[in-house]
Structure formats: C-alpha cells, structure tokens
Amino acid sequence: MTSTIDTLRKRYETAGQEHLFTFWSQLNPEEQASLASQLDALDIERVNRIYDKAVNSISGTLNPTSHAATIEPLPKGASESVGTPKDKEWRRIGLEAIARGEVGVLLMAGGQGSRLGSNAPKGCYDIGLPSHKTLFQVQAERIAGLQRVAEAEANMPSGSAVIPWYVMTSGPTREATEEFFKLKSYFGLDAKNVIIFEQGTLPCLSNDGKVFLETPSRVAVAPDGNGGLYAATRAPLSSTNKSHTVLSDLAKRKILYVHAYCVDNCLVRVADPIFLGYSIQKQADCAAKVVTKAYPTESVGVVAYQDSKFSVVEYSEITQEQAERRDPETGELSFRAGNIVNHFYTTAFLNQVEAFEEQLAFHIARKKIPHVDLQTKEIVKPSKPNGMKLEMFVFDVFPFTERFAGGKSRSLRPLGQWRLHLPKTSCAEQANHDDWCPDRQNLFQERSSEG
C-alpha cells in the first residue's frame, strides 16, 4: 500500500496537483482507500492538457493579433427542408434501415429538472398532457410505434423490428432513471434493448487549474457536458465486463446509423425515418436537424460555416450585423439554421471520434464551486464564481466530419416552442397557467393527429 501511494503521490507531484494529498495523514483507512481509488482512476495528465487547451483557446480569442474565425452562412444546397415530394423517398429509406435493424437511438438524459422544482431526471417529468405521460414514456412509445410501422411496411412479423435505445444519464440521475424504467416496465419495450449508461465527469478546477477537493477525501467533479457522450460510448457498461461498451453493443447488433437528441425536446420525432433517410441518401457521416430562427436576436446557436468547416456558432459569437443579415434572394435571415441538438451519425463516425478527440477544445463554464479550504479544513461555499467546470459540446465534432448534411424540420415554429420550457418559477407557481409550456399544446395536437 505504501509503495503504491508513494507512486501515486509522485505522479500528482509531477502534475502539479500534490495538494490533493494535503489531508492524507488525517484520513482513516477507509477514506484513504476511497481517495486513492479516485486519484488512481483519474487521468490527471489529461486534465492538465484539457485545462491548458481550454485556457489557451480563450486567450487566442481575446488576443487582438490572433486569427479571427471567418463565420459564414451555410452555402446554398447544404440543407434541405422536409414537407416536399422528397419526403416519401426519404421515409422509405429510413423505414427500410429500421426494418433491417440498422438504426439505434441515443438519448442525452443527464439533466435534472431543478428549474422545474424537481431533483428527478428531466425525463421523469410530467409536462401536463391529459394522459400525464412523462417525456420518457412519450419517447418510448414513439420508438415502439415506429418499430410497428417498419414491420408493417416491410411485411415483417410483430416484434422483429428493433430500435435499441441508449439512454445516457449522469451521476446524479442514473440510479433514479434506472429505477423509473424498471417501475414502468420499460414502457413496454424489451429491457434488453434499453441500455442505460453514464456520462463521464471531470474535476472542478480553480482559475489557475488546481483540482478542488470537495471534502478532505473526495475530489470535486462535474459532468463533462453533453459532448461527453463520445467518451461515454467507449466506457465499460459494467465493472464485470470491461469490453462491453455502447460502441461494442452497436457493433454486435450491426447498427449502422444512430439518431441522437436531448431529453428536453418534447416534440422530438425519435428516429424520424425522413431525417434518417435524408442523411443516409446524402451518405452523411453526421447530420443536424435544424429549425429556422424566429428572429435575429433569438438566443440559439446556429449551424454555419466557420473557417470553411461546418460548426455550431453560439448566438454570443456572432455580431449584431451578422444576426440581422438577410438573404437578398429570399429575405430570410442569413444565419437562420437554429441548432436543436438533433443529430444523425454513422457508427463508423462515432468510432472515429477517439482519433481526433484530443484536438477538441473544452469549453470553460465559470461556476461557484464548494470546496474544502486547504488551510482550515472548513467547507467553503462561495457567493460568486471561484473556479471552472470543463465541458465539451456534442456539436464540437462537426468540423471533423468529411460529409455533413443539414435538414430543416417540417415545422417553422420558433425553437423555444420546440423544446420543453424550463421556467425559473416552481411547478406550484405555474400550476394554474396553461401557457407556460407551448409545447404541451403542440405535442397534444400532434399526438392527437397521429391517432
């Protein structure tokens, strides 16, 4: 034990993070074992590289002599709209891929409904439909319905079309999500086709890159952003079988295409066969479904060309002139392709991400991070941001795609009406208001029309 700890301590000294052993001699054997296990599992050298790259990326942005990224609207023909005669062909291609067992669904469901007054996973939230169905149930039923449609179109026996559902949770939501699915009998889906896994975490850092201790025996960590899904697909699904990962499961099932989306998009068309068929026909490695921005200053990122590569540009990164610029031919906003985190991937592309992941710059989120004071051993709860959490966004991989496609949703409703609104007031305060979530009405109308 002593020699192992000496080796571990030396490694952290070399990385400039030896302060994590400040309270080592004061810990009991159980606490020492817990801290040692956490530090041994942590790739501290990678954490330092991520910090350096993130800080240098910001420094480059702020440096007036550095190269300013060229941001341009999507070139004409880079995206197509649904609601055209092409829909029928795209739908056929998508349904045939589903019938062949080539399509999987990846749900990003790590968030809690804290802004709704609940600590439960967002997917457990009742958005106010007459049926009181939760987001998880609505989406599960769409998967089940789509399997039946694919079977009927291909004249296949009942139960033969399978769309595996990969549900990515976070540390705070995994157990509750697993319990909810079991309680609801997986909403009628076969449990073996619902794979629940957990996104990774990264240590919380001070502004000078030092890892915070949450307690004397525990490192402060936070989820690594929705872009953490790429690393999470390579992580073991259980401690008993290190080789069983989401990627290996996709390979075993011979899945070729994956539809990925966020749980709080309550109007999402899960595994939309039209979007799938469009992306497959375009031979895209990666594709994004977008909606038209409602107005120039809408707080939504847009899919655009940045340094001649497809990227998502945050609304804070474009100038007012760019936001208000209009296409002289159509009169539409030039930067109008609103990103709704609704993506298509080939599994071949997902397997390639690891090769260029080190080139991706993590984003810095300045946060108030509770931590233990290294001098007094007291827990500090700051009143203003005192450090950072490092995040990767799911769309950070777009510039690395060789074949990218964009599809416009059939609805031109503002983006805010496509996602579940998360009001800052509590559920109780909103209980007597019918308009707090326009999606509720839209979803009810849509499901009614689907019969």
Side-chain angles (χ1 to χ4, degrees):
M1 176 73 172
T2 302
S3 61
T4 302
I5 291 303
D6 287 344
T7 301
L8 190 62
R9 189 191 295 266
K10 180 64 177 177
R11 181 178 148 215
Y12 274 77
E13 287 176 355
T14 302
Q17 303 282 3
E18 65 274 12
H19 63 282
L20 296 174
F21 288 89
T22 296
F23 304 107
W24 182 262
S25 62
Q26 303 172 38
L27 304 179
N28 62 42
E30 183 179 343
E31 291 171 330
Q32 287 182 342
S34 175
L35 179 60
S37 176
Q38 190 175 13
L39 295 179
D40 185 54
L42 180 61
D43 187 345
I44 192 62
E45 294 79 13
R46 176 174 177 263
V47 171
N48 284 347
R49 290 196 303 271
I50 289 172
Y51 168 78
D52 289 341
K53 190 171 182 65
V55 171
N56 289 337
S57 178
I58 289 181
S59 298
T61 302
L62 298 177
N63 185 350
T65 64
S66 65
H67 165 70
T70 302
I71 301 174
E72 300 172 306
L74 290 177
K76 294 188 184 300
S79 64
E80 295 192 52
S81 299
V82 296
T84 72
K86 295 181 180 180
D87 284 11
K88 185 176 182 180
E89 175 68 5
W90 292 335
R91 180 178 181 274
R92 179 190 64 78
I93 294 171
L95 286 175
E96 287 178 353
I98 291 170
R100 291 192 299 266
E102 296 174 348
V103 174
V105 169
L106 200 161
L107 167 62
M108 290 168 272
Q112 295 172 293
S114 53
R115 286 167 61 190
L116 292 165
S118 169
N119 288 325
K122 286 181 185 177
C124 301
Y125 191 73
D126 174 356
I127 61 172
L129 292 171
S131 62
H132 296 287
K133 291 177 180 178
T134 62
L135 288 167
F136 280 144
Q137 182 170 355
V138 169
Q139 293 164 18
E141 290 179 352
R142 283 189 159 162
I143 290 174
L146 195 51
Q147 289 174 161
R148 291 192 294 269
V149 170
E151 289 165 355
E153 295 275 336
N155 295 314
M156 296 168 59
S158 177
S160 55
V162 173
I163 304 172
W165 197 15
Y166 299 88
V167 181
M168 185 176 78
T169 64
S170 61
T173 64
R174 179 167 187 168
E175 184 177 354
T177 299
E178 290 176 330
E179 291 178 355
F180 192 71
F181 271 80
K182 290 176 183 176
L183 178 67
K184 300 297 183 179
S185 301
Y186 294 85
F187 308 102
L189 298 174
D190 191 328
K192 71 174 181 290
N193 296 322
V194 180
I195 299 90
I196 298 174
F197 65 109
E198 188 175 323
Q199 74 183 100
T201 61
L202 283 171
C204 301
L205 304 177
S206 65
N207 290 322
D208 58 356
K210 299 298 183 182
V211 175
F212 277 119
L213 281 171
E214 182 180 357
T215 71
S217 62
R218 186 168 64 247
V219 172
V221 299
D224 54 4
N226 59 20
L229 80 87
Y230 302 110
T233 60
R234 303 191 302 267
L237 290 171
S238 72
S239 58
T240 58
N241 185 354
K242 299 292 186 180
S243 65
H244 186 206
T245 67
V246 169
L247 289 181
S248 72
D249 196 79
L250 289 167
K252 182 179 179 181
R253 296 171 183 266
K254 299 181 179 178
I255 301 295
L256 300 180
Y257 314 109
V258 173
H259 176 225
Y261 66 97
C262 284
V263 69
D264 54 1
N265 184 342
C266 60
L267 290 185
V268 65
R269 290 179 178 267
V270 183
D272 178 6
I274 295 177
F275 180 45
L276 288 169
Y278 162 76
S279 304
I280 293 169
Q281 188 183 72
K282 294 293 183 182
Q283 297 183 319
D285 300 315
C286 179
K289 183 185 284 191
V290 299
V291 294
T292 301
K293 282 184 66 173
Y295 48 91
T297 57
E298 185 178 13
S299 299
V300 57
V302 294
V303 181
Y305 241 27
Q306 189 167 20
D307 287 341
S308 301
K309 295 181 180 180
F310 287 99
S311 301
V312 171
V313 181
E314 293 296 341
Y315 61 90
S316 58
E317 297 174 338
I318 61 176
T319 66
Q320 183 172 347
E321 183 277 326
Q322 289 172 322
E324 295 178 350
R325 188 187 306 170
R326 293 189 177 272
D327 186 318
E329 295 181 13
T330 65
E332 296 180 298
L333 293 172
S334 295
F335 293 93
R336 59 183 178 275
N339 176 50
I340 56 173
V341 195
N342 194 323
H343 306 317
F344 164 95
Y345 304 96
T346 63
T347 51
F349 178 76
L350 291 177
N351 278 283
Q352 294 168 7
V353 172
E354 185 177 12
F356 58 76
E357 203 166 38
E358 285 281 339
Q359 300 178 52
L360 302 176
F362 277 70
H363 306 268
I364 292 176
R366 305 288 179 180
K367 298 289 185 178
K368 293 180 287 187
I369 302 171
H371 62 282
V372 61
D373 187 288
L374 298 180
Q375 303 298 323
T376 66
K377 205 178 178 179
E378 294 180 355
I379 301 299
V380 178
K381 295 184 177 180
S383 58
K384 59 182 181 180
N386 63 318
M388 63 182 74
K389 297 179 180 179
L390 297 168
E391 302 175 321
M392 185 183 291
F393 298 149
V394 67
F395 50 74
D396 287 337
V397 302
F398 286 5
F400 294 85
T401 58
E402 293 183 9
R403 295 180 299 277
F404 185 88
K408 293 182 182 178
S409 166
R410 63 169 49 83
S411 172
L412 299 182
R413 299 187 190 109
L415 179 67
Q417 294 179 344
W418 269 84
R419 286 196 276 188
L420 172 62
H421 287 251
L422 302 177
K424 294 182 180 179
T425 48
S426 69
C427 293
E429 292 173 307
Q430 295 290 347
N432 296 320
H433 297 275
D434 289 333
D435 60 350
W436 73 270
C437 178
D439 285 339
R440 183 169 60 188
Q441 302 299 328
N442 295 337
L443 183 57
F444 177 57
Q445 293 169 8
E446 183 176 303
R447 289 180 68 79
S448 298
S449 68
E450 288 176 351

